[in-house]
Amino acid sequence: MITAAVVGAAGYLGGELLRILLGHPAVRVVRATSERLAGRRVDGAHPNLRGHTGLTFRPMSELDHYDVLFLASRHRETMRVLPGLLGHADVVVDLSGDFRLADPELYHRHYGVEHTAPGLLGTFTTGLPERYRDRLRTADRISVPGCMATAGVLALAPLAEAGLVEGEVAVDARTGSSGSGASAGPENLHAERSGAFRVFAPLGHRHEAEIAQETGLAVRMTATGVEAVRGVQVLCRVRLAEGVAESTVRAAYRDRYRDEPFVRVVAERRGLYRLPEPKILAGSNFCDVGFAVDGPGGEGLLVAALDNLVKGGAGNAMQCVNIRFGLPETDGLEFAGLHPS
Amino acid sequence: MITAAVVGAAGYLGGELLRILLGHPAVRVVRATSERLAGRRVDGAHPNLRGHTGLTFRPMSELDHYDVLFLASRHRETMRVLPGLLGHADVVVDLSGDFRLADPELYHRHYGVEHTAPGLLGTFTTGLPERYRDRLRTADRISVPGCMATAGVLALAPLAEAGLVEGEVAVDARTGSSGSGASAGPENLHAERSGAFRVFAPLGHRHEAEIAQETGLAVRMTATGVEAVRGVQVLCRVRLAEGVAESTVRAAYRDRYRDEPFVRVVAERRGLYRLPEPKILAGSNFCDVGFAVDGPGGEGLLVAALDNLVKGGAGNAMQCVNIRFGLPETDGLEFAGLHPS
Amino acid sequence: MITAAVVGAAGYLGGELLRILLGHPAVRVVRATSERLAGRRVDGAHPNLRGHTGLTFRPMSELDHYDVLFLASRHRETMRVLPGLLGHADVVVDLSGDFRLADPELYHRHYGVEHTAPGLLGTFTTGLPERYRDRLRTADRISVPGCMATAGVLALAPLAEAGLVEGEVAVDARTGSSGSGASAGPENLHAERSGAFRVFAPLGHRHEAEIAQETGLAVRMTATGVEAVRGVQVLCRVRLAEGVAESTVRAAYRDRYRDEPFVRVVAERRGLYRLPEPKILAGSNFCDVGFAVDGPGGEGLLVAALDNLVKGGAGNAMQCVNIRFGLPETDGLEFAGLHPS
Amino acid sequence: MITAAVVGAAGYLGGELLRILLGHPAVRVVRATSERLAGRRVDGAHPNLRGHTGLTFRPMSELDHYDVLFLASRHRETMRVLPGLLGHADVVVDLSGDFRLADPELYHRHYGVEHTAPGLLGTFTTGLPERYRDRLRTADRISVPGCMATAGVLALAPLAEAGLVEGEVAVDARTGSSGSGASAGPENLHAERSGAFRVFAPLGHRHEAEIAQETGLAVRMTATGVEAVRGVQVLCRVRLAEGVAESTVRAAYRDRYRDEPFVRVVAERRGLYRLPEPKILAGSNFCDVGFAVDGPGGEGLLVAALDNLVKGGAGNAMQCVNIRFGLPETDGLEFAGLHPS
């Protein structure tokens, strides 16, 4: 069995990692850290794990050595603790935003503070199997992309890689409340957040930089919090290159994702679920991608949806680790999602 | 114009008082206090009031004298500030729980602390027009009942007063999240509270004591938080006295509430809204009451619904003040509620 | 008193018209038609109106003559009944989409059928007080715009009229479920619609044509159903003309809407409600508009929000009628909206 | 591999059966029937199954012979088709209400029609492993209990079996909208059902009879639809027998369910999830049960929660079939549920 530990295990991403790891046939989670809840039962913070684990949270100081160490701690904190943790595992997987951007100036612009470990920037492989599967087979440091970035990149990649789009891309992202984490402030008070259409990042959301970095496109991004706990959906409005028709777009998606276990192309002509919809993805590791286009050389609307805590975080991390350790890529990630839900 | 001030105006009940007062034809709100937000615009905390007021919050120390002073401060805090505020107004209306119970021991049992102004207990008129309209015409201290208590009392009163029920009453109350207030803790984080069926008071909710005090019945009460921002619904399971049939029950409700401007009897034979439903009451001052009964001497289920911030708080307070100052009872409270919503 | 009748009064827009009319100080609603529910009480279909009206639905054949007749019947049906109803009122106000577009070919493209009364197209004044107040003072036929169109036009008008934007506008609209009406099909089944992010019109929603017609801009529109019953929000992504800075944009909005009773400019630097949010607008007649801009000549994101049944329909119609009959423009429309809700 | 077929596979219970069967290591689903959707892809009706199956719906007339046949057709229809299907499988599992009650008169009272196959009543084993595991090992006809009945029985059984409660039990059940099925009428229109507190069965819900039949207690039941798609919670108010204290109650639950793979005792002293909560059970096969008691011989509130489509239907059916075929009881049912969700 591969041994694993989770740092920052009391948060929502940490809980989701634990859920996935506890159901994994070949990995055993042996340590979960939280400074705040040290000594308390893990299933107190994550009640869905009752009956699945007897683990208690421990402080980071009690970490030993593991095959793989997941960091689910917060942005800005992670860059401070990660350097001291590299020796505790063969493979380190970071789910925070701290090691996603290669350029410390971009980091400063988007996270508002100086990076405290700039020398480590650029030493991480981007944890996106659909683009970096080969590198991930040998990667010892993996940085999992942001939830909206993963959705945006997977929506855009087939067309961007094939040169089928031109000019600037407008990305409209919508997200549930769990992305803000378990220790969020008044903005996530139920009475304020319930039923909201909150345009919290009208221009320049930080995942914009990740999408641009991955796709090479000029990206303009807006983010809105809508009523949901889990779920991210991004709409990318693109201009198709001259002569590019719907059949070309469809073929590009089909070809690009034919062998991907966790990307489905959803662009149907009828039904209530014609385009990707987060509602049916809660708990699953799928990123569904789809499109509507206007006619050759016209406008295209690309849509992607995922569960921000799974394919947008913990599930994606698990998929990377499965690749890294030569395990079946779907291990621990078989849950299909629910309908209705 | 009658002048009014609101203490604790930054909270949800305070905001609702301001909304109602700003639309009132005969009362002018001239002061709104908040220690935390002193100096800030009122419509910053209550964005629905944009364009309706230019008031800023002021500290309590800047209170003058008003015709009526509403206290929308918290339980346990209110009993400390109220004695010092009695001189600032002809009429004081308290929306907290601190002066509802006549007995300091009951207060201690339900609020967990000693009452700091026990001498004032019992000097307040209960702010329930349907029971105390006459006393309210001359009352200078009014204590508005709790939201679930108001619903429970209005559901039970017609049968209790007429001796049509026997034995113990089981009250099952359900409530939205706004009852917990604007400064609530992690229990009201959207991701935790959304979609909840949270049995937060399995036995002995504190409004149990108020209902018992008002109806003279033995009351057992359970409270559950369900998905809603506004809204309270109570179900009262009763045993009908011998020979009491549905027609008697219906007549008792009709007679009791015939002239009440804000109580509607809702007990229909078909339709989606056969029994009282908070969903259509948001913003309105109605308490709808209804019933289903089993046959003579059988079981009865009594149902009441209201908006916890309106008839369960600010609207009820306004109705009491209208009565006290001889104004039309519906002034400021004309909003019908929305369907669908 | 001005007399009014409502055709198609059993639907959601019809119910909202009745709610507003029943609270209006100078208009008396004397007839409400529904073929399906003829003979049934109005408050059976609209339970929020219990205690406010004893009206029953009547068939259209029983219409007399009124000062004003509102049509809240469906798209495609309205064009068939409206010609025969023109003689029943001095002023006819249509809330359907059938008389909004001046061009019968555009109608055919967007509604999928031939227009059956093409000769009447172009004889209606657009029911948008913020643009046509003067014409509305004497208009006898008024066509109220679509809910998303109203939001889009009010967001874009200040910049479009002043020539501050260039090129194509991308409109991303989000809507609650009540826009689909009270007789909707499986797509509005709660289990399917709840929590949805449904991109039901990825390209070319029919309100696109209305916005283009009103603003003279090239408009590309996408529409998504999100979790809400009431509420529309539109985001308009624009390119600012050279040299146009935030201060110019802000001034354009302020100047344009300074005297409007139902448009508020909401573009704040902090708080949870910095940009327009439908959550606090349910039941109110406000359309809030706001913006974020990127720097001179950069990108702008314009945001508008409203309640689709009020400013996006019945409330807007009432405002037009107030203007037409020389009444105070806010009569019947004073409700401020709720926070929280 | 064990072969399975699902009749009525287009509905919500049918879809849930397919989801579970498609992930089962030892059962292969080879037929899914729907008359209405015959010829259409299964993943068109159940979009969460995209990528998991290529099955199309077939009419019932094309059924062959299978090891196990699940009936997920409607109440009242099932009794008509089931007799003709008994020959198509070694084991028949019915998820409808038609074969749950042993007494045809009780059936008539609760389902409003005469039973058309009264001779088969009483030939089914109740599909509740926690009570009938031994009989299920050899049962060829299994009738899975109703969702609220399962919750009620599992909450009450430990105390009822041990004689720890006395007198009548008042059951207050709350349910999400998916229990009404995929072809529901206007009562499940999103705009009407969203945010509802709908007391649809104030007295005498039909699951009352099932709970009484299983526990031998006198049961009075009320059912309310609240805002949720999945999820059932029941509260049972009981009178404890003389001298019965909390420790006795806790021991009774612990002992009764110690070895049960899908019942967890949840009765904690702190935290947000102290008592059973459906919110964290979506997709899981757990029924959580808990309690609060008042003191020796006092009142007890027993609480149970489950996902109505899983432990309240398809998952419970799967668990019974696992037992019947000697498979590990948790096969296909490993999903832990999500937090937050």
Side-chain angles (χ1 to χ4, degrees):
Chain A
M1 292 290 269
I2 291 158
T3 58
V6 177
V7 168
Y12 290 156
L13 275 172
E16 200 65 4
L17 279 166
L18 293 173
R19 175 183 73 82
I20 292 168
L21 290 165
L22 289 166
H24 197 290
V27 181
R28 200 155 67 92
V29 57
V30 294
R31 184 62 92 212
T33 84
S34 165
E35 309 307 303
R36 187 172 55 89
L37 298 181
R40 304 272 282 272
R41 291 178 59 91
V42 158
D43 61 8
H46 306 301
N48 58 327
L49 303 183
R50 284 171 180 148
H52 295 268
T53 182
L55 277 178
T56 54
F57 293 110
R58 310 304 314 165
M60 243 188 286
S61 59
E62 295 184 17
L63 283 171
D64 295 317
H65 190 274
Y66 312 94
D67 295 320
V68 57
L69 181 73
F70 294 94
L71 281 93
S73 39
R74 284 181 236 192
H75 310 314
R76 300 189 194 94
E77 278 179 37
T78 303
M79 65 183 172
R80 282 190 282 269
V81 301
L82 184 138
L85 298 175
L86 289 173
H88 284 277
D90 294 345
V91 178
V92 170
V93 183
D94 178 26
L95 285 85
S96 85
D98 284 357
F99 295 92
R100 290 176 190 157
L101 297 171
D103 175 352
E105 289 200 20
L106 260 186
Y107 183 86
H108 183 255
R109 187 188 317 155
H110 284 290
Y111 290 84
V113 296
E114 289 294 319
H115 204 288
T116 60
L120 291 176
L121 288 177
T123 71
F124 282 73
T125 299
T126 299
L128 198 54
E130 292 77 7
R131 289 179 61 80
Y132 300 106
R133 185 171 279 110
D134 278 346
R135 291 191 215 170
L136 287 166
R137 294 190 210 284
T138 56
D140 289 340
R141 297 180 191 169
I142 298 170
S143 170
V144 175
C147 51
M148 299 182 205
T150 292
V153 171
L154 293 177
L156 287 163
L159 303 192
E161 291 170 4
L164 303 179
V165 292
E166 285 179 346
E168 208 171 80
V169 180
V171 176
D172 174 38
R174 300 91 181 263
T175 178
S177 64
S178 62
S180 304
S183 50
E187 72 276 12
N188 272 329
L189 190 64
H190 180 269
E192 305 293 342
R193 183 63 176 74
S194 173
F197 299 58
R198 188 179 299 159
V199 186
F200 66 93
L203 296 172
H205 185 277
R206 62 170 66 133
H207 290 182
E208 177 178 302
E210 286 184 59
I211 300 175
Q213 179 176 286
E214 285 297 318
T215 63
L217 297 169
V219 175
R220 308 309 306 258
M221 183 164 167
T222 290
T224 306
V226 297
E227 175 60 44
V229 171
R230 290 177 181 237
V232 157
Q233 185 187 53
V234 301
L235 273 55
C236 305
R237 196 178 289 271
V238 298
R239 172 69 45 191
L240 298 176
E242 210 183 314
V244 175
E246 200 209 8
S247 56
T248 319
V249 170
R250 189 173 293 271
Y253 276 100
R254 288 274 159 83
D255 292 351
R256 182 64 178 79
Y257 294 130
R258 177 175 297 120
D259 300 324
E260 284 300 336
F262 291 116
V263 181
R264 298 184 293 200
V265 181
V266 174
E268 303 186 354
R269 279 180 180 69
R270 62 178 177 190
L272 304 180
Y273 298 87
R274 290 187 300 142
L275 287 168
E277 165 66 85
K279 174 178 161 69
I280 58 166
L281 297 175
S284 96
N285 197 46
F286 288 106
C287 178
D288 285 348
V289 297
F291 55 86
V293 302
D294 223 20
E299 190 188 32
L301 190 81
L302 318 180
V303 183
L306 48 72
D307 178 334
N308 53 303
L309 298 179
V310 190
K311 186 63 177 173
N316 204 19
M318 188 74 249
Q319 188 182 353
C320 292
V321 168
N322 284 339
I323 292 168
R324 172 60 180 73
F325 287 91
L327 302 170
E329 205 163 321
T330 58
D331 267 11
L333 301 169
E334 295 88 351
F335 182 62
L338 299 175
H339 171 255
S341 73
Chain B
M1 293 289 270
I2 292 158
T3 59
V6 177
V7 169
Y12 292 156
L13 274 173
E16 199 66 3
L17 278 167
L18 293 173
R19 176 182 74 79
I20 292 168
L21 290 165
L22 288 166
H24 197 291
V27 181
R28 199 154 68 92
V29 58
V30 294
R31 183 62 92 211
T33 83
S34 165
E35 310 307 302
R36 187 172 54 88
L37 298 182
R40 304 273 281 273
R41 290 177 60 90
V42 157
D43 63 7
H46 306 301
N48 58 328
L49 302 184
R50 284 170 181 148
H52 294 270
T53 182
L55 277 177
T56 54
F57 292 112
R58 311 304 313 166
M60 242 188 286
S61 59
E62 296 185 14
L63 284 172
D64 296 317
H65 190 276
Y66 312 94
D67 294 321
V68 58
L69 181 73
F70 295 93
L71 281 94
S73 39
R74 285 181 236 192
H75 309 315
R76 301 189 192 91
E77 280 179 35
T78 302
M79 63 182 173
R80 282 191 281 269
V81 302
L82 183 138
L85 298 176
L86 289 174
H88 285 277
D90 294 345
V91 178
V92 170
V93 183
D94 179 26
L95 285 85
S96 84
D98 284 357
F99 295 92
R100 289 175 191 158
L101 298 171
D103 175 353
E105 289 201 20
L106 261 185
Y107 183 86
H108 183 256
R109 187 188 317 154
H110 284 290
Y111 290 85
V113 295
E114 289 293 320
H115 204 289
T116 60
L120 292 177
L121 288 177
T123 72
F124 282 73
T125 299
T126 299
L128 198 55
E130 292 78 7
R131 288 178 63 78
Y132 300 105
R133 185 171 280 109
D134 276 347
R135 291 192 215 169
L136 288 166
R137 294 190 211 284
T138 55
D140 290 339
R141 297 179 192 171
I142 299 171
S143 171
V144 175
C147 51
M148 299 182 205
T150 292
V153 171
L154 293 177
L156 287 163
L159 303 192
E161 291 169 3
L164 304 178
V165 292
E166 284 179 348
E168 208 172 81
V169 180
V171 176
D172 175 38
R174 301 92 181 260
T175 178
S177 64
S178 61
S180 303
S183 50
E187 72 276 12
N188 272 330
L189 191 63
H190 179 268
E192 305 293 343
R193 184 63 177 72
S194 172
F197 299 57
R198 187 179 299 159
V199 185
F200 65 93
L203 297 171
H205 186 277
R206 63 171 63 133
H207 290 180
E208 178 178 302
E210 286 183 59
I211 301 175
Q213 178 176 289
E214 286 297 318
T215 62
L217 299 168
V219 175
R220 307 310 306 259
M221 182 165 168
T222 290
T224 305
V226 299
E227 176 60 43
V229 171
R230 291 177 180 235
V232 157
Q233 185 188 53
V234 301
L235 272 56
C236 305
R237 198 178 287 271
V238 297
R239 174 68 47 192
L240 299 176
E242 212 184 312
V244 175
E246 201 209 7
S247 56
T248 320
V249 170
R250 189 174 292 272
Y253 277 101
R254 287 275 158 83
D255 292 351
R256 183 65 177 79
Y257 293 130
R258 178 174 298 118
D259 299 324
E260 285 299 336
F262 292 116
V263 181
R264 298 184 292 200
V265 180
V266 175
E268 305 187 353
R269 278 179 179 69
R270 60 178 179 191
L272 303 180
Y273 298 86
R274 289 187 299 142
L275 288 167
E277 163 67 86
K279 176 179 160 66
I280 57 165
L281 297 176
S284 95
N285 197 48
F286 288 105
C287 178
D288 286 348
V289 298
F291 55 85
V293 303
D294 224 20
E299 190 187 34
L301 191 82
L302 317 180
V303 182
L306 49 72
D307 178 334
N308 53 302
L309 298 180
V310 190
K311 186 63 177 173
N316 205 18
M318 189 73 249
Q319 188 182 354
C320 293
V321 168
N322 284 339
I323 291 168
R324 172 61 180 76
F325 287 90
L327 302 169
E329 207 163 320
T330 57
D331 267 10
L333 301 169
E334 295 87 352
F335 182 61
L338 298 175
H339 171 257
S341 71
Chain C
M1 291 292 268
I2 291 157
T3 59
V6 177
V7 168
Y12 290 156
L13 275 173
E16 199 65 4
L17 278 166
L18 293 173
R19 175 184 73 80
I20 292 168
L21 289 165
L22 288 166
H24 197 290
V27 181
R28 198 154 69 93
V29 57
V30 294
R31 184 61 94 211
T33 84
S34 165
E35 310 308 302
R36 187 172 55 87
L37 297 181
R40 302 272 283 273
R41 290 178 60 90
V42 158
D43 62 8
H46 307 301
N48 58 327
L49 302 184
R50 283 170 180 150
H52 295 269
T53 182
L55 277 178
T56 54
F57 293 111
R58 310 305 313 167
M60 242 187 288
S61 59
E62 295 185 15
L63 283 172
D64 296 316
H65 189 276
Y66 312 94
D67 294 319
V68 58
L69 182 72
F70 295 93
L71 281 94
S73 39
R74 285 182 237 191
H75 310 314
R76 301 188 193 92
E77 280 179 35
T78 303
M79 64 183 173
R80 283 190 282 270
V81 301
L82 183 138
L85 297 176
L86 289 174
H88 284 277
D90 295 344
V91 179
V92 170
V93 183
D94 178 26
L95 284 85
S96 84
D98 284 357
F99 295 92
R100 289 176 191 156
L101 298 171
D103 176 354
E105 290 201 19
L106 259 185
Y107 183 86
H108 183 255
R109 187 187 317 155
H110 283 289
Y111 290 84
V113 295
E114 289 294 319
H115 204 287
T116 60
L120 291 176
L121 288 178
T123 71
F124 282 72
T125 299
T126 299
L128 199 54
E130 292 78 7
R131 287 179 63 79
Y132 300 105
R133 187 171 278 109
D134 277 347
R135 292 192 216 168
L136 288 166
R137 294 189 211 283
T138 56
D140 290 340
R141 297 178 192 171
I142 298 171
S143 171
V144 175
C147 51
M148 299 183 206
T150 293
V153 171
L154 293 177
L156 286 163
L159 303 193
E161 291 170 3
L164 303 179
V165 292
E166 284 179 347
E168 207 170 80
V169 180
V171 176
D172 176 40
R174 301 93 181 259
T175 178
S177 64
S178 61
S180 303
S183 51
E187 71 278 11
N188 272 330
L189 190 63
H190 180 269
E192 305 293 343
R193 183 64 176 71
S194 172
F197 299 58
R198 188 179 298 159
V199 185
F200 66 93
L203 296 172
H205 186 278
R206 64 170 63 130
H207 290 181
E208 179 179 300
E210 286 184 59
I211 301 175
Q213 178 176 287
E214 286 297 318
T215 63
L217 298 169
V219 175
R220 309 308 307 259
M221 184 164 167
T222 290
T224 305
V226 298
E227 175 61 42
V229 172
R230 292 177 180 234
V232 157
Q233 186 188 53
V234 301
L235 273 54
C236 305
R237 197 178 288 270
V238 297
R239 173 68 46 193
L240 299 176
E242 211 185 313
V244 175
E246 201 210 8
S247 55
T248 319
V249 171
R250 188 173 293 271
Y253 276 101
R254 288 272 159 84
D255 292 352
R256 183 66 178 77
Y257 293 130
R258 178 174 297 118
D259 299 324
E260 285 300 335
F262 292 115
V263 181
R264 297 184 293 200
V265 181
V266 175
E268 303 185 356
R269 278 178 180 72
R270 62 181 177 188
L272 303 181
Y273 297 87
R274 289 187 299 142
L275 288 167
E277 164 67 85
K279 176 180 160 67
I280 57 166
L281 297 176
S284 96
N285 196 47
F286 288 105
C287 178
D288 286 347
V289 297
F291 56 84
V293 302
D294 225 19
E299 190 187 34
L301 190 82
L302 317 180
V303 182
L306 49 72
D307 179 333
N308 53 303
L309 297 180
V310 189
K311 184 63 178 174
N316 204 18
M318 188 74 250
Q319 189 182 353
C320 293
V321 168
N322 283 340
I323 292 168
R324 172 62 180 72
F325 287 90
L327 302 169
E329 207 163 321
T330 57
D331 267 10
L333 301 169
E334 295 87 351
F335 182 61
L338 298 175
H339 171 256
S341 72
Chain D
M1 292 291 269
I2 292 158
T3 59
V6 177
V7 169
Y12 291 155
L13 275 172
E16 199 66 2
L17 278 166
L18 293 173
R19 175 182 73 81
I20 292 168
L21 290 164
L22 289 166
H24 197 290
V27 181
R28 199 155 68 91
V29 58
V30 295
R31 184 61 93 213
T33 84
S34 164
E35 309 308 302
R36 187 173 54 88
L37 298 181
R40 303 272 282 272
R41 292 177 58 90
V42 158
D43 62 9
H46 306 302
N48 58 327
L49 302 182
R50 284 171 181 148
H52 294 270
T53 182
L55 277 177
T56 54
F57 292 112
R58 310 305 313 166
M60 244 188 287
S61 59
E62 296 184 15
L63 283 172
D64 295 316
H65 191 275
Y66 313 94
D67 295 320
V68 58
L69 181 73
F70 294 92
L71 281 94
S73 38
R74 284 181 237 194
H75 309 314
R76 301 188 193 93
E77 279 179 37
T78 302
M79 63 182 175
R80 283 190 282 269
V81 302
L82 184 138
L85 297 175
L86 289 173
H88 285 278
D90 294 345
V91 178
V92 169
V93 183
D94 179 25
L95 284 85
S96 85
D98 284 358
F99 296 91
R100 288 176 191 157
L101 298 171
D103 175 352
E105 288 202 20
L106 259 185
Y107 183 87
H108 183 256
R109 188 188 315 155
H110 284 290
Y111 290 85
V113 295
E114 289 294 319
H115 205 287
T116 60
L120 291 176
L121 288 178
T123 73
F124 282 73
T125 299
T126 299
L128 198 54
E130 292 78 7
R131 288 178 63 79
Y132 300 105
R133 185 171 280 110
D134 277 347
R135 293 191 214 169
L136 288 166
R137 295 189 210 285
T138 57
D140 289 340
R141 297 180 192 168
I142 299 170
S143 171
V144 175
C147 51
M148 299 183 207
T150 292
V153 171
L154 293 177
L156 287 164
L159 303 193
E161 291 170 3
L164 303 179
V165 292
E166 284 179 345
E168 207 171 80
V169 179
V171 175
D172 174 40
R174 300 91 181 262
T175 178
S177 63
S178 61
S180 304
S183 52
E187 72 277 12
N188 272 329
L189 189 64
H190 180 269
E192 305 293 342
R193 184 63 176 73
S194 173
F197 298 59
R198 188 178 299 159
V199 185
F200 66 94
L203 297 172
H205 187 276
R206 62 171 65 134
H207 289 182
E208 177 178 303
E210 285 183 60
I211 300 175
Q213 178 175 287
E214 286 297 317
T215 62
L217 297 169
V219 174
R220 308 309 308 260
M221 183 164 167
T222 290
T224 306
V226 297
E227 175 61 43
V229 171
R230 290 177 180 236
V232 157
Q233 185 187 53
V234 302
L235 272 54
C236 305
R237 196 178 290 269
V238 297
R239 173 68 45 189
L240 299 176
E242 210 182 315
V244 175
E246 200 208 10
S247 56
T248 319
V249 170
R250 188 173 292 271
Y253 276 100
R254 287 273 158 84
D255 292 352
R256 183 63 177 80
Y257 293 130
R258 177 174 299 118
D259 299 324
E260 284 300 335
F262 292 116
V263 181
R264 299 183 292 201
V265 180
V266 174
E268 303 186 355
R269 277 179 181 70
R270 62 178 178 190
L272 304 180
Y273 298 86
R274 289 186 300 142
L275 288 167
E277 164 66 85
K279 175 178 161 68
I280 58 167
L281 297 175
S284 96
N285 197 47
F286 288 106
C287 177
D288 286 346
V289 298
F291 55 84
V293 302
D294 223 20
E299 190 188 32
L301 190 81
L302 317 181
V303 183
L306 48 71
D307 179 334
N308 53 302
L309 298 179
V310 190
K311 186 63 178 172
N316 204 18
M318 189 74 249
Q319 188 182 354
C320 292
V321 169
N322 284 340
I323 291 168
R324 173 60 180 74
F325 288 90
L327 302 170
E329 207 163 319
T330 58
D331 267 11
L333 301 169
E334 295 87 351
F335 181 62
L338 298 176
H339 172 255
S341 72

